[in-house]
């Protein structure tokens, strides 16, 4: 059968279109695979960029421990170990350099801004809640560290002094605490603190001894122990804290007259935060060499490893107690409502806090969930949560208290009652002024260690598990902020009702009662 040219053209067209369709189909498969591979690669890169610091810290910890064990058979001298830990020494010097300006700027900025907003009952209740929960968290950490004693393990505890000497030391510690809170020279307080010691005063008693006809004079020499005023090197943190808080409150009460100086300290605080966020990227390098030096110097690495694990377990137990017992109990006692139903609406911000390790970065998610899930008042949430993200650091206070006592126990140092009270005050103040950015707690940890006379280089032991503890304590911080909003809103419910029913012209009374920032927002 013969085909005409028209039929041939139709066949040609059919034959051409069919393979073209197949080619197009195969190309679509290849392009879709390429897109999926590209998306997977971009997701991996996004994860690495978002968690780069955590990954670098974990890698540096692993390399540092491995390097330390590799160098142990060499039997390095003290000088060689000093050379090995030199990059870590630079890290400690950088952190100590940032302590003073960061502490002063953050406290003055926080106190001056809070003072403008906190004339009303809402601000007073918020500040009271933050202070009470932070102190409770600090004492929870201290109690657990004393009870569990993670830094002593199987080592024999040092012999404590007699009761009478301990009592005298406690009284002197309290007196030193008050002296350091009121420094006579503010410039000197930046590098020196008051610390009374003991000296011996020579007393000579003369008496006459008469025996029949022999008259003789005898002398009795007695050494009396007396307190002697003295100083020790290091920043007087308490004196700087007291001055900064008083200065910030005074500056906030000056209104428009103090605005230029408030703006200066606010700009200084932001600059220090940015500097900390830049400098902190050097910490994996310093951590690597600090850990290597610590492993080389260890007499029994296995025992130190068990102690560090017990330290991490102690912190985790403390955070669990504070998060699931203390804070819910406070919420229930005030509101008479189920705290765990309230916490159930906060799963998203709590997981975000765990993932980002930053209470400031979690703030938008926290605001949304508090208003949508738990039906919190918008004005209360937006007033309290930004302040809480920078001031309410329950997890950090608990962590720093346990860490300080752990390092003291590792170095076989005993703390008496006065020193423990000083530690709780310093931990509360240092955690309150801590920055709401990842790993900024290392700076406040340096403050705490230097204030109680503990070696700052031992901070490398804390960094082994800090990548997970930092996330857990940030989650506790965010939970404390949210519980605070619920508690303060319940206590301020009458003022809120008055504020809702008042008209625009009748809100002057509410403004004075409740704070100017609330009316302006």
């Amino acid at each position: 059968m013969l085909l005409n040219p028209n039929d041939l053209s139709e066949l040609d067209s059919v034959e051409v279109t069919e393979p073209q369709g197949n080619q197009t189909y195969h190309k679509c498969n290849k392009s879709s695979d390429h897109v999926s591979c590209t998306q997977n690669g971009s997701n991996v890169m996004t994860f690495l960029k978002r968690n780069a610091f955590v990954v670098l810290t974990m890698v540096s910890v692993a390399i540092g421990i491995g390097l330390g064990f590799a160098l142990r058979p060499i039997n390095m001298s003290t000088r060689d170990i000093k050379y090995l830990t030199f990059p870590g020494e630079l890290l400690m010097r950088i952190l100590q350099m940032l302590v003073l300006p960061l502490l002063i700027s953050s406290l003055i900025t926080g106190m001056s801004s809070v003072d403008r907003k906190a004339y009303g009952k809402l601000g007073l209740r918020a500040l009271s809640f933050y202070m009470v929960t932070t102190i409770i968290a600090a004492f929870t950490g201290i109690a657990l560290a004393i009870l569990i004693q993670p830094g002593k393990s199987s080592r024999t505890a040092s012999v404590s002094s007699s009761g009478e000497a301990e009592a005298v030391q406690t009284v002197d510690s309290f007196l030193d605490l008050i002296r350091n809170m009121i420094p006579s020279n503010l410039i000197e307080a930046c590098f020196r603190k008051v610390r009374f010691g003991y000296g011996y005063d020579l007393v000579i008693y003369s008496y006459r001894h008469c025996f029949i006809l022999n008259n003789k004079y005898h002398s009795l020499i007695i050494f009396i122990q007396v307190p002697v005023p003295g100083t020790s090197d290091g920043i007087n943190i308490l004196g700087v804290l007291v001055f900064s808080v008083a200065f910030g409150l005074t500056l906030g009460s000056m209104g428009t007259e103090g605005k230029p100086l408030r703006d200066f300290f606010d700009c200084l605080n932001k600059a220090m935060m940015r500097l900390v966020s830049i400098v902190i990227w050097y910490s994996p390098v310093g951590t690597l060499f600090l850990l290597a030096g610590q492993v080389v110097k260890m007499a029994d690495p296995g025992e130190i490893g068990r102690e560090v694990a017990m330290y991490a377990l102690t912190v985790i137990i403390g955070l669990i107690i504070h998060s699931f017992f203390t804070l819910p109990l406070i919420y229930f006692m005030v509101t008479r409502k189920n705290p765990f139903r309230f916490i159930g609406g906060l799963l998203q911000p709590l997981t975000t806090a765990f993932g980002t390790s930053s209470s400031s970065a979690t703030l938008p998610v926290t605001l949304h969930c508090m208003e949508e899930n738990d039906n919190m008042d918008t004005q209360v949430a937006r007033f309290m949560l930004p302040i809480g993200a920078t001031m309410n650091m329950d997890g950090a206070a608990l962590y720093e208290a346990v860490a300080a006592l752990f390092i003291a126990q590792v170095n076989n140092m005993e703390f008496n009652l006065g020193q423990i009270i000083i530690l709780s005050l310093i931990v509360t103040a240092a955690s309150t002024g801590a920055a709401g950015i990842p790993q900024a707690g290392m700076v406040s940890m340096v403050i705490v260690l230097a204030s109680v006379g503990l070696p700052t280089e031992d901070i490398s032991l804390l960094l082994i598990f800090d990548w997970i503890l930092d996330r857990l304590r940030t989650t506790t911080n965010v939970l404390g902020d949210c519980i605070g909003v619920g508690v303060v809103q319940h206590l301020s419910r009458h003022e809120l009702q008055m504020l809702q029913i008042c008209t625009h012209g009748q809100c002057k009374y509410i403004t004075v009662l409740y704070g100017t920032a609330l009316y302006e927002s």
Side-chain angles (χ1 to χ4, degrees):
M1 183 176 179
L2 296 176
L3 297 174
N4 57 21
N6 294 331
D7 295 329
L8 289 172
S9 63
E10 291 177 2
L11 288 172
D12 290 339
S13 64
V14 172
E15 290 175 357
V16 170
T17 55
E18 190 172 343
Q20 186 177 359
N22 292 335
Q23 289 175 3
T24 305
Y25 176 75
H26 291 302
K27 286 181 179 178
C28 288
N29 284 339
K30 292 180 180 179
S31 61
S32 62
D33 292 341
H34 178 70
V35 170
S36 62
C37 293
T38 305
Q39 290 178 349
N40 292 334
S42 63
N43 291 335
V44 172
M45 291 302 298
T46 303
F47 174 80
L48 291 177
K49 288 180 180 179
R50 184 178 300 173
N51 300 278
F53 186 83
V54 178
V55 173
L56 288 176
T57 302
M58 295 175 64
V59 170
S60 66
V61 167
I63 296 176
I65 294 175
L67 179 62
F69 278 106
L71 295 176
R72 281 181 65 86
I74 302 178
N75 294 326
M76 299 176 66
S77 63
T78 305
R79 178 181 295 181
D80 294 336
I81 296 176
K82 198 72 175 177
Y83 294 155
L84 176 64
T85 57
F86 179 72
E89 181 185 349
L90 291 182
L91 173 63
M92 291 296 101
R93 296 179 70 88
I94 292 172
L95 294 178
Q96 291 170 352
M97 175 185 67
L98 298 175
V99 162
L100 194 62
L102 179 64
L103 185 68
I104 292 176
S105 62
S106 63
L107 279 177
I108 291 180
T109 302
M111 290 298 105
S112 61
S113 62
V114 166
D115 186 73
R116 284 182 299 167
K117 303 173 183 177
Y119 285 124
K121 294 182 179 180
L122 175 69
L124 293 177
R125 288 165 181 159
L127 292 178
S128 300
F129 175 84
Y130 292 156
M131 191 61 62
V132 168
T133 55
T134 304
I135 292 175
I136 291 175
F139 275 103
T140 301
I142 290 173
L144 287 175
I146 295 176
L147 181 64
I148 300 177
Q149 294 191 340
K152 287 194 174 180
S153 187
S154 59
R155 286 202 303 265
T156 304
S158 60
V159 180
S160 59
S161 55
S162 62
E164 183 178 356
E166 184 75 18
V168 173
Q169 292 175 5
T170 303
V171 172
D172 293 335
S173 298
F174 278 118
L175 295 179
D176 284 343
L177 170 66
I178 299 174
R179 294 187 186 101
N180 284 313
M181 289 176 64
I182 309 174
S184 59
N185 189 330
L186 190 61
I187 305 299
E188 185 183 16
C190 296
F191 57 88
R192 191 175 296 156
K193 51 191 172 183
V194 177
R195 186 174 183 179
F196 268 54
Y198 281 96
Y200 290 93
D201 193 7
L202 179 63
V203 179
I204 302 177
Y205 292 97
S206 297
Y207 63 93
R208 183 178 178 182
H209 178 69
C210 179
F211 184 71
I212 306 178
L213 298 178
N214 295 328
N215 292 330
K216 294 183 180 180
Y217 285 91
H218 298 271
S219 297
L220 180 63
I221 301 176
I222 300 176
F223 291 94
I224 300 177
Q225 191 179 37
V226 294
V228 178
T231 58
S232 60
D233 293 334
I235 302 176
N236 181 4
I237 299 295
L238 286 177
V240 174
L241 285 174
V242 170
F243 174 80
S244 299
V245 170
F247 188 82
L249 292 175
T250 305
L251 191 61
S253 65
M254 293 176 64
T256 56
E257 293 181 353
K259 188 177 185 303
L261 200 54
R262 283 199 303 269
D263 293 340
F264 166 76
F265 281 107
D266 184 53
C267 183
L268 178 62
N269 186 41
K270 291 179 180 177
M272 290 306 304
M273 295 291 189
R274 183 166 298 184
L275 184 59
V276 168
S277 63
I278 294 173
V279 165
I280 210 72
W281 285 95
Y282 175 72
S283 64
V285 179
T287 301
L288 191 154
F289 291 97
L290 277 176
L291 274 176
Q294 288 286 349
V295 172
V296 170
K297 290 189 295 184
M298 286 177 186
D300 188 354
E303 188 171 353
I304 294 295
R306 288 191 296 271
E307 291 175 351
V308 174
M310 284 299 299
Y311 148 75
L313 182 61
T314 304
V315 174
I316 293 173
I317 292 174
L319 294 177
I320 291 175
I321 291 174
H322 191 75
S323 300
F324 294 101
F325 178 75
T326 305
L327 292 176
L329 181 62
I330 294 175
Y331 181 84
F332 175 75
M333 291 175 62
V334 174
T335 65
R336 299 297 177 181
K337 297 178 181 178
N338 186 356
F340 297 102
R341 181 177 298 176
F342 178 84
I343 296 174
L346 304 173
L347 295 180
Q348 187 177 357
L350 294 180
T351 54
T352 305
F354 183 82
T356 61
S357 184
S358 172
S359 53
S360 298
T362 314
L363 188 57
V365 182
T366 309
L367 281 169
H368 174 75
C369 290
M370 288 293 290
E371 296 172 6
E372 298 296 329
N373 298 344
D374 288 327
N375 299 320
M376 291 291 105
D377 187 88
T378 302
Q379 293 169 326
V380 179
R382 296 185 181 183
F383 173 78
M384 286 188 61
L385 289 178
I387 299 175
T390 55
M391 290 189 62
N392 186 34
M393 297 290 176
D394 297 349
L398 191 148
Y399 154 79
E400 290 168 2
V402 175
L405 288 176
F406 166 73
I407 291 179
Q409 292 166 3
V410 168
N411 290 276
N412 212 20
M413 298 171 61
E414 293 289 342
F415 274 25
N416 55 38
L417 179 61
Q419 291 171 322
I420 289 176
I421 294 177
I422 292 174
L423 174 64
S424 64
L425 293 176
I426 293 175
V427 162
T428 303
S431 61
T432 301
I437 57 178
Q439 298 298 326
M442 285 204 308
V443 182
S444 57
M445 193 68 244
V446 171
I447 296 175
V448 174
L449 295 181
S451 301
V452 294
L454 295 172
T456 55
E457 60 271 12
D458 284 349
I459 198 174
S460 59
L461 296 174
L462 309 179
L463 298 178
I464 297 176
F465 291 103
D466 193 65
W467 62 275
I468 184 65
L469 296 181
D470 186 29
R471 295 170 182 273
L472 292 175
R473 64 178 182 260
T474 302
T475 306
T476 303
N477 294 338
V478 173
L479 179 60
D481 298 341
C482 298
I483 293 290
V485 174
V487 169
V488 173
Q489 176 172 323
H490 180 80
L491 295 174
S492 306
R493 60 191 181 279
H494 300 300
E495 288 87 350
L496 286 172
Q497 291 174 356
M498 294 174 64
L499 184 66
Q500 290 174 356
I501 63 175
C502 74
T503 61
H504 214 41
Q506 297 174 338
C507 284
K508 291 183 179 180
Y509 171 73
I510 303 299
T511 300
V512 175
L513 178 70
Y514 206 27
T516 56
L518 185 61
Y519 175 74
E520 292 170 358
S521 64

